[in-house]
Amino acid sequence: MSYDRAITVFSPDGHLFQVEYAMEAVRRGSTAVGIKGKDCVVLAVERRALAKLQEARTIRKIVSVDERSVLAFAGLTADARVLIQKIRVEAQSYRLTMEDSPSIDYLARYLARTQQQYTQRGGVRPFGIASLFCGVSSDDGAPELYQTDPAGTHSRWKAQVIGGRNAKSLREFLEKQYQDGMEETACVRLAIQALLEVVDSGAKTMEVCVVRRGGKKETMEEDAIETIVKEIEAEQEEKRAPAAAASGGDSEYV
Amino acid sequence: MDTVLAITYKGGVVLAADQSNARSIISYQSNLDKIKELTSHSAMGVAGPNCDLVRFTEYIAKNLALYQLNHDGTQLSTKAQANFCRSELADALRKGPYQVNLLLGGFDEKAGPSLYFMDYLAALEKVNFGSHGYASSFCLSIMDKEYREDLSEEDALKIIDYCIHEIHTRFLISQPNFMVKVIDKDGVRVSKFGGDPADT
């Protein structure tokens, strides 16, 4: 018997197959990395190679949600568009009724609640996206990073990866490299370094955005990303070079 | 009872409104700001009950903010904003009307300054200058006489001062305080006011 036809049905061993299939859709999406530092949060997203005739500048992977928050997603782009619209309207609605800006926690909870609602209703399928939602709650608030998934869970992270086949190994990489209270330059570097593990080298393959304490958002210019990429690669070359010299020039250390 | 005035000049728009909030024989406050900012480069002078003033302007402002977020930071032109306001007024008209009369002024990079006159029945007209309320009887003729295509900001502010002086001299109801705002390429700023809205 197939227990994955209607979302409302549990399987005998307690699985919600539609939700798990949605998570598979997330794995097919492009990788997104989020790193929280002392005074900033950095989002770096893989930009997959486009078709030649496609206009690159119309594909924006890191979107503004509210004045002081941004969101990156992994998974089905169309589903993401719908969810992003919902959360944007909710943020403005909150501002209209409460005359105050919504906290990052509130919006992350709203996002997660919406995703969960689509796992417990007849006739609908879950959203095939996981998201990294980050920003600052107020002008003097600390930076926050949240992750949501198709099941509708949300949790706060210091650093997280979503999407792509290598999310697990990237997470381990981050666990080794992450340090509490990093400055912005260190955060940006770590985010790009993590992404370089899965994307082809080059600034054109990634989009990087920083949200700082105080609420200022900045999308990094390609040149700036390129500089950091070259620095990281030069460093890696140096690490490799002595090993090559020692083993006689032919190194399997890639 | 509210007085709202506006006049365009070469490089911007001046909006002015009285600051009194009263009903029957009681004056609630004399430092009310009736010129609500919508976006960084547009604002709306509103005549009408305070509840509709607040509800309508905040609703429009939040929807304009949503548009900006959805369109990667591009703002709606003043013309588009005015038409959006008009359509909201028209939709509400036969359900639960907003009893607001508006003068919406804005500055666009390409189109320059523009001013739109709207009333509570959802009429919309682009004008060079305008006024709402009893003030119209006193001020429209002054603006008609003094307005020219190439006014400077100083000229425009002087014409508004003439209008305010006329109101103070000839209008039966006392409106001692006026809020004057200017919209130009640098955005919306307060030129002067009679009562500080920040005073509680």
Side-chain angles (χ1 to χ4, degrees):
Chain A
M1 258 204 269
S2 154
Y3 287 93
D4 58 3
R5 207 161 295 172
I7 184 61
T8 46
V9 179
F10 274 106
S11 69
D13 55 349
H15 284 257
L16 283 174
F17 278 120
Q18 279 300 299
V19 175
E20 289 179 20
Y21 296 165
M23 293 185 180
E24 188 57 38
V26 171
R27 263 170 237 124
R28 288 169 64 101
S30 41
T31 313
V33 177
I35 313 253
K36 181 177 72 126
K38 186 165 65 130
D39 296 314
C40 71
V41 196
V42 178
L43 281 181
V45 182
E46 172 193 357
R47 218 191 258 166
R48 289 230 177 107
L50 297 166
K52 272 201 186 146
L53 294 172
Q54 199 170 27
E55 303 238 23
R57 57 185 172 78
T58 59
I59 314 279
R60 282 217 58 208
K61 303 224 122 164
I62 304 177
V63 297
S64 265
V65 167
D66 192 22
E67 250 179 49
R68 304 185 197 93
S69 54
V70 290
L71 182 146
F73 62 89
L76 297 169
T77 317
D79 284 8
R81 214 176 46 230
V82 169
L83 255 189
I84 288 165
Q85 181 62 9
K86 281 184 198 282
I87 194 179
R88 278 176 174 162
V89 171
E90 178 62 21
Q92 291 306 310
S93 192
Y94 187 99
R95 279 171 179 272
L96 185 59
T97 47
M98 308 292 185
E99 254 197 58
D100 196 11
S101 57
S103 63
I104 302 295
D105 178 51
Y106 175 87
L107 288 174
R109 249 181 296 131
Y110 175 80
L111 196 51
R113 193 188 329 137
T114 308
Q115 285 187 279
Q116 192 280 341
Q117 279 167 355
Y118 279 69
T119 68
Q120 213 175 3
R121 235 198 289 167
V124 299
R125 61 162 177 81
F127 287 97
I129 75 162
S131 77
L132 285 177
F133 178 66
C134 67
V136 291
S137 289
S138 59
D139 272 342
D140 48 5
E144 296 166 52
L145 170 67
Y146 283 86
Q147 183 229 9
T148 69
D149 65 12
T153 55
H154 79 292
S155 43
R156 203 160 149 178
W157 291 76
K158 295 178 181 177
Q160 174 63 301
V161 184
I162 53 171
R165 296 275 160 212
N166 304 308
K168 192 153 177 283
S169 59
L170 271 187
R171 217 167 283 133
E172 283 165 12
F173 172 80
L174 284 179
E175 276 173 24
K176 273 196 217 108
Q177 303 283 339
Y178 182 83
Q179 285 164 343
D180 274 320
M182 285 191 288
E183 296 292 336
E184 185 178 318
T185 22
C187 290
V188 172
R189 217 158 185 283
L190 182 56
I192 295 179
Q193 212 175 340
L195 257 195
L196 278 175
E197 303 274 323
V198 293
V199 307
D200 293 329
S201 147
K204 284 203 174 17
T205 55
M206 48 183 98
E207 195 177 312
V208 183
C209 179
V210 184
V211 183
R212 300 185 181 107
R213 195 186 281 266
K216 190 144 190 298
K217 293 182 243 181
E218 192 193 312
T219 310
M220 276 185 76
E221 296 282 344
E222 253 184 49
D223 307 325
I225 303 176
E226 190 63 47
T227 319
I228 299 180
V229 167
K230 287 211 160 54
E231 270 173 33
I232 296 172
E233 286 179 340
E235 236 181 59
Q236 283 174 349
E237 268 299 318
E238 265 174 56
K239 281 201 199 125
R240 240 175 282 156
S247 64
D250 197 13
S251 174
E252 326 91 79
Y253 184 75
V254 176
Chain B
M1 294 316 173
D2 304 319
T3 296
V4 185
L5 309 162
I7 188 165
T8 57
Y9 64 91
K10 189 160 180 261
V13 188
V14 178
L15 294 170
D18 78 292
Q19 292 186 272
S20 51
N21 189 3
R23 174 173 287 146
S24 167
I25 57 169
I26 302 164
S27 171
Y28 294 125
Q29 64 183 128
S30 49
N31 63 347
L32 178 62
D33 185 0
K34 295 179 193 171
I35 303 175
K36 293 296 184 186
E37 280 145 41
L38 296 177
T39 66
S40 62
H41 287 73
S42 66
M44 200 149 70
V46 187
N50 199 227
C51 55
D52 284 349
L53 185 156
V54 170
R55 294 268 294 152
F56 185 72
T57 54
E58 287 187 356
Y59 175 69
I60 297 295
K62 294 296 180 270
N63 269 289
L64 295 177
L66 183 62
Y67 180 90
Q68 220 171 308
L69 278 166
N70 276 333
H71 293 83
D72 213 20
T74 24
Q75 273 185 13
L76 272 175
S77 65
T78 313
K79 181 177 173 184
Q81 291 176 33
N83 276 280
F84 174 61
C85 283
R86 190 218 68 83
S87 77
E88 287 298 318
L89 286 171
D91 282 342
L93 184 61
R94 307 236 181 226
K95 294 171 188 162
Y98 292 105
Q99 290 176 322
V100 290
N101 292 317
L102 316 165
L103 278 166
L104 196 161
F107 187 91
D108 303 305
E109 231 183 273
K110 275 210 187 127
S114 50
L115 177 65
Y116 290 87
F117 174 100
M118 261 171 284
D119 74 4
Y120 71 103
L121 294 170
L124 170 68
E125 202 63 42
K126 185 173 189 296
V127 294
N128 290 322
F129 54 85
S131 68
H132 277 298
Y134 290 110
S136 303
S137 307
F138 303 98
C139 303
L140 224 36
S141 46
I142 297 175
M143 291 196 273
D144 221 7
K145 183 161 190 289
E146 302 288 338
Y147 178 79
R148 291 179 312 280
E149 289 285 331
D150 58 349
L151 290 169
S152 70
E153 183 188 323
E154 214 184 307
D155 294 333
L157 287 170
K158 206 177 325 143
I159 296 174
I160 293 290
D161 277 340
Y162 289 156
C163 295
I164 295 174
H165 183 261
E166 187 70 13
I167 290 167
H168 283 159
T169 315
R170 295 298 171 201
F171 188 27
L172 177 65
I173 293 173
S174 168
Q175 291 181 336
N177 293 333
F178 271 80
M179 164 72 75
V180 182
K181 292 192 182 174
V182 177
I183 308 172
D184 57 17
K185 61 172 170 50
D186 299 321
V188 185
R189 68 171 194 281
V190 176
S191 173
K192 65 175 181 192
F193 52 69
D196 189 350
D199 280 338
T200 44

mmCIF file of all heavy atoms in Angstrom, chain B residues 2-3 5 24 36 41 51-52 56 74 95 118 141 148 158 164 172 175 192 198:
data_model
loop_
_atom_site.group_PDB
_atom_site.id
_atom_site.type_symbol
_atom_site.label_atom_id
_atom_site.label_comp_id
_atom_site.label_asym_id
_atom_site.label_seq_id
_atom_site.Cartn_x
_atom_site.Cartn_y
_atom_site.Cartn_z
ATOM 1 N N ASP B 2 -10.997 71.511 8.207
ATOM 2 C CA ASP B 2 -9.548 71.454 7.969
ATOM 3 C C ASP B 2 -9.173 72.290 6.769
ATOM 4 O O ASP B 2 -9.942 72.422 5.814
ATOM 5 C CB ASP B 2 -9.107 70.010 7.721
ATOM 6 C CG ASP B 2 -9.509 69.105 8.851
ATOM 7 O OD1 ASP B 2 -9.375 69.531 10.010
ATOM 8 O OD2 ASP B 2 -9.958 67.994 8.573
ATOM 9 N N THR B 3 -7.980 72.832 6.852
ATOM 10 C CA THR B 3 -7.435 73.578 5.719
ATOM 11 C C THR B 3 -6.232 72.836 5.194
ATOM 12 O O THR B 3 -5.313 72.525 5.951
ATOM 13 C CB THR B 3 -7.002 74.990 6.166
ATOM 14 O OG1 THR B 3 -8.148 75.707 6.588
ATOM 15 C CG2 THR B 3 -6.335 75.728 5.023
ATOM 16 N N LEU B 5 -3.486 73.127 1.892
ATOM 17 C CA LEU B 5 -3.069 73.906 0.724
ATOM 18 C C LEU B 5 -1.870 73.242 0.088
ATOM 19 O O LEU B 5 -1.084 72.582 0.772
ATOM 20 C CB LEU B 5 -2.647 75.326 1.132
ATOM 21 C CG LEU B 5 -3.598 76.129 1.995
ATOM 22 C CD1 LEU B 5 -2.840 77.274 2.650
ATOM 23 C CD2 LEU B 5 -4.734 76.661 1.142
ATOM 24 N N SER B 24 -17.086 70.080 17.877
ATOM 25 C CA SER B 24 -18.104 70.872 18.590
ATOM 26 C C SER B 24 -17.454 72.110 19.199
ATOM 27 O O SER B 24 -16.907 72.921 18.491
ATOM 28 C CB SER B 24 -18.791 69.973 19.615
ATOM 29 O OG SER B 24 -19.552 70.716 20.527
ATOM 30 N N LYS B 36 0.838 63.615 5.885
ATOM 31 C CA LYS B 36 1.431 62.301 6.160
ATOM 32 C C LYS B 36 2.402 61.921 5.054
ATOM 33 O O LYS B 36 2.069 61.988 3.871
ATOM 34 C CB LYS B 36 0.321 61.249 6.247
ATOM 35 C CG LYS B 36 -0.591 61.445 7.428
ATOM 36 C CD LYS B 36 0.164 61.278 8.724
ATOM 37 C CE LYS B 36 -0.762 61.377 9.915
ATOM 38 N NZ LYS B 36 -0.048 61.351 11.179
ATOM 39 N N HIS B 41 9.772 60.308 -1.085
ATOM 40 C CA HIS B 41 9.608 61.512 -1.896
ATOM 41 C C HIS B 41 8.153 61.834 -2.191
ATOM 42 O O HIS B 41 7.839 62.414 -3.238
ATOM 43 C CB HIS B 41 10.372 61.359 -3.226
ATOM 44 C CG HIS B 41 11.851 61.443 -3.068
ATOM 45 N ND1 HIS B 41 12.595 60.434 -2.511
ATOM 46 C CD2 HIS B 41 12.717 62.435 -3.362
ATOM 47 C CE1 HIS B 41 13.867 60.801 -2.472
ATOM 48 N NE2 HIS B 41 13.975 62.008 -2.976
ATOM 49 N N CYS B 51 -9.799 59.754 12.377
ATOM 50 C CA CYS B 51 -9.733 58.289 12.241
ATOM 51 C C CYS B 51 -9.461 57.902 10.789
ATOM 52 O O CYS B 51 -8.591 57.086 10.512
ATOM 53 C CB CYS B 51 -11.018 57.655 12.723
ATOM 54 S SG CYS B 51 -12.495 58.292 11.913
ATOM 55 N N ASP B 52 -10.207 58.500 9.871
ATOM 56 C CA ASP B 52 -10.003 58.177 8.451
ATOM 57 C C ASP B 52 -8.643 58.658 7.969
ATOM 58 O O ASP B 52 -7.999 58.008 7.147
ATOM 59 C CB ASP B 52 -11.108 58.819 7.595
ATOM 60 C CG ASP B 52 -12.423 58.054 7.709
ATOM 61 O OD1 ASP B 52 -12.399 56.940 8.267
ATOM 62 O OD2 ASP B 52 -13.455 58.563 7.255
ATOM 63 N N PHE B 56 -6.474 55.662 6.540
ATOM 64 C CA PHE B 56 -6.240 55.674 5.105
ATOM 65 C C PHE B 56 -4.771 55.875 4.773
ATOM 66 O O PHE B 56 -4.192 55.132 3.976
ATOM 67 C CB PHE B 56 -7.088 56.771 4.435
ATOM 68 C CG PHE B 56 -6.985 56.765 2.941
ATOM 69 C CD1 PHE B 56 -7.591 55.757 2.202
ATOM 70 C CD2 PHE B 56 -6.277 57.752 2.267
ATOM 71 C CE1 PHE B 56 -7.491 55.735 0.825
ATOM 72 C CE2 PHE B 56 -6.178 57.741 0.887
ATOM 73 C CZ PHE B 56 -6.788 56.726 0.167
ATOM 74 N N THR B 74 12.427 49.666 -6.285
ATOM 75 C CA THR B 74 11.884 50.737 -7.140
ATOM 76 C C THR B 74 10.613 51.280 -6.517
ATOM 77 O O THR B 74 9.764 50.519 -6.068
ATOM 78 C CB THR B 74 11.523 50.253 -8.553
ATOM 79 O OG1 THR B 74 11.275 48.861 -8.503
ATOM 80 C CG2 THR B 74 12.599 50.554 -9.544
ATOM 81 N N LYS B 95 -18.917 50.938 -0.032
ATOM 82 C CA LYS B 95 -18.923 49.950 1.053
ATOM 83 C C LYS B 95 -18.831 50.683 2.386
ATOM 84 O O LYS B 95 -19.756 50.686 3.169
ATOM 85 C CB LYS B 95 -17.735 48.997 0.883
ATOM 86 C CG LYS B 95 -17.839 48.133 -0.344
ATOM 87 C CD LYS B 95 -16.547 47.358 -0.588
ATOM 88 C CE LYS B 95 -16.609 46.658 -1.939
ATOM 89 N NZ LYS B 95 -15.284 46.260 -2.404
ATOM 90 N N MET B 118 -7.487 65.086 -4.826
ATOM 91 C CA MET B 118 -8.463 64.002 -4.725
ATOM 92 C C MET B 118 -9.513 64.382 -3.716
ATOM 93 O O MET B 118 -9.196 65.020 -2.694
ATOM 94 C CB MET B 118 -7.768 62.715 -4.250
ATOM 95 C CG MET B 118 -7.427 61.749 -5.340
ATOM 96 S SD MET B 118 -6.402 60.417 -4.703
ATOM 97 C CE MET B 118 -4.830 61.232 -4.570
ATOM 98 N N SER B 141 -8.150 81.868 -5.083
ATOM 99 C CA SER B 141 -7.981 83.049 -5.939
ATOM 100 C C SER B 141 -6.591 83.660 -5.768
ATOM 101 O O SER B 141 -6.009 84.184 -6.722
ATOM 102 C CB SER B 141 -9.060 84.086 -5.636
ATOM 103 O OG SER B 141 -9.184 84.233 -4.235
ATOM 104 N N ARG B 148 2.912 80.954 -11.151
ATOM 105 C CA ARG B 148 3.573 80.979 -12.460
ATOM 106 C C ARG B 148 4.316 79.674 -12.645
ATOM 107 O O ARG B 148 4.617 78.969 -11.688
ATOM 108 C CB ARG B 148 4.557 82.160 -12.558
ATOM 109 C CG ARG B 148 3.882 83.513 -12.588
ATOM 110 C CD ARG B 148 4.928 84.632 -12.670
ATOM 111 N NE ARG B 148 6.019 84.497 -11.720
ATOM 112 C CZ ARG B 148 5.967 84.831 -10.439
ATOM 113 N NH1 ARG B 148 4.847 85.328 -9.944
ATOM 114 N NH2 ARG B 148 7.001 84.683 -9.653
ATOM 115 N N LYS B 158 6.273 81.829 -0.070
ATOM 116 C CA LYS B 158 5.673 83.147 0.161
ATOM 117 C C LYS B 158 4.195 83.127 -0.185
ATOM 118 O O LYS B 158 3.372 83.706 0.530
ATOM 119 C CB LYS B 158 6.402 84.199 -0.692
ATOM 120 C CG LYS B 158 6.274 85.551 -0.045
ATOM 121 C CD LYS B 158 6.925 86.755 -0.608
ATOM 122 C CE LYS B 158 8.232 86.597 -1.252
ATOM 123 N NZ LYS B 158 8.305 87.487 -2.422
ATOM 124 N N ILE B 164 -2.050 81.713 4.215
ATOM 125 C CA ILE B 164 -2.225 81.534 5.653
ATOM 126 C C ILE B 164 -2.600 82.859 6.304
ATOM 127 O O ILE B 164 -3.472 82.933 7.172
ATOM 128 C CB ILE B 164 -0.932 80.952 6.290
ATOM 129 C CG1 ILE B 164 -0.682 79.540 5.765
ATOM 130 C CG2 ILE B 164 -1.046 80.940 7.808
ATOM 131 C CD1 ILE B 164 0.627 78.930 6.211
ATOM 132 N N LEU B 172 -13.471 82.723 9.877
ATOM 133 C CA LEU B 172 -14.125 82.838 11.170
ATOM 134 C C LEU B 172 -13.490 81.916 12.219
ATOM 135 O O LEU B 172 -13.279 82.299 13.363
ATOM 136 C CB LEU B 172 -15.617 82.487 11.000
ATOM 137 C CG LEU B 172 -16.459 82.476 12.259
ATOM 138 C CD1 LEU B 172 -16.549 83.866 12.843
ATOM 139 C CD2 LEU B 172 -17.846 81.921 11.959
ATOM 140 N N GLN B 175 -7.537 79.179 13.321
ATOM 141 C CA GLN B 175 -6.553 78.136 12.994
ATOM 142 C C GLN B 175 -5.167 78.750 13.125
ATOM 143 O O GLN B 175 -4.533 79.105 12.143
ATOM 144 C CB GLN B 175 -6.782 77.612 11.567
ATOM 145 C CG GLN B 175 -8.064 76.813 11.437
ATOM 146 C CD GLN B 175 -8.295 76.277 10.036
ATOM 147 O OE1 GLN B 175 -7.780 76.813 9.070
ATOM 148 N NE2 GLN B 175 -9.092 75.228 9.929
ATOM 149 N N LYS B 192 8.247 74.583 8.271
ATOM 150 C CA LYS B 192 7.980 75.228 9.555
ATOM 151 C C LYS B 192 6.665 74.708 10.100
ATOM 152 O O LYS B 192 5.850 74.131 9.363
ATOM 153 C CB LYS B 192 7.941 76.749 9.403
ATOM 154 C CG LYS B 192 6.795 77.238 8.529
ATOM 155 C CD LYS B 192 6.741 78.754 8.527
ATOM 156 C CE LYS B 192 5.586 79.242 7.672
ATOM 157 N NZ LYS B 192 5.616 80.653 7.396
ATOM 158 N N ALA B 198 5.538 66.773 18.152
ATOM 159 C CA ALA B 198 6.168 65.887 19.129
ATOM 160 C C ALA B 198 5.765 66.219 20.557
ATOM 161 O O ALA B 198 5.941 65.400 21.460
ATOM 162 C CB ALA B 198 7.687 65.949 18.979
#
